Amino acid sequence: MKNLGQMMKQAQEMQAKMAEMQSRLGEIEVPGQAGAGMIAVVLNGKGELRSLKIDPKLVDPAEIEVLEDLIVAAFNDAKGKVEEAVQAETSKLMGGLKLPPGMKLPF
């Protein structure tokens, strides 16, 4: 039974660390860009778009579809970096243990 008590204590500690990490995710900022920096975005660790910068040279009504595609590409670039940062933080938190395939942390 001592092992069960130890496991419960470790589970509670892990839960507290996970809650702390979840709160820190809102503070992490990760940049993404497209079109050689002509479109730049910043996401937080929860995947929320925090800022968007568009090079004024891109604003041409005839090229609106290109602008839209570049914004999507910049957003996806930053989102991928956020997922990598979350994975790295989770790995540090769990002492190198990996989540089972297909299992993701909610954020």
Side-chain angles (χ1 to χ4, degrees):
M1 285 296 162
K2 189 172 185 178
N3 285 342
L4 180 59
Q6 184 69 18
M7 284 177 44
M8 292 298 289
K9 183 179 178 184
Q10 287 176 339
Q12 289 173 337
E13 289 172 1
M14 181 66 70
Q15 186 176 16
K17 287 180 182 180
M18 293 295 284
E20 180 183 335
M21 185 183 82
Q22 287 289 327
S23 68
R24 286 195 326 242
L25 288 177
E27 299 169 14
I28 294 172
E29 290 195 343
V30 181
Q33 63 176 334
M38 294 169 63
I39 299 289
V41 298
V42 175
L43 301 182
N44 69 10
K46 294 182 177 184
E48 299 166 336
L49 184 62
R50 305 308 273 168
S51 68
L52 167 66
K53 300 286 183 206
I54 301 172
D55 186 319
K57 292 180 249 173
L58 286 177
V59 185
D60 178 357
E63 298 294 324
I64 197 73
E65 287 183 31
V66 172
L67 180 60
E68 292 168 346
D69 290 343
L70 287 170
I71 291 170
V72 169
F75 181 87
N76 289 331
D77 180 46
K79 179 83 169 161
K81 290 176 182 176
V82 164
E83 290 170 359
E84 290 173 10
V86 168
Q87 221 172 18
E89 286 294 314
T90 302
S91 181
K92 283 193 282 186
L93 179 70
M94 299 181 81
L97 295 175
K98 296 194 185 263
L99 292 173
M103 183 175 176
K104 291 186 176 186
L105 294 175
F107 61 89

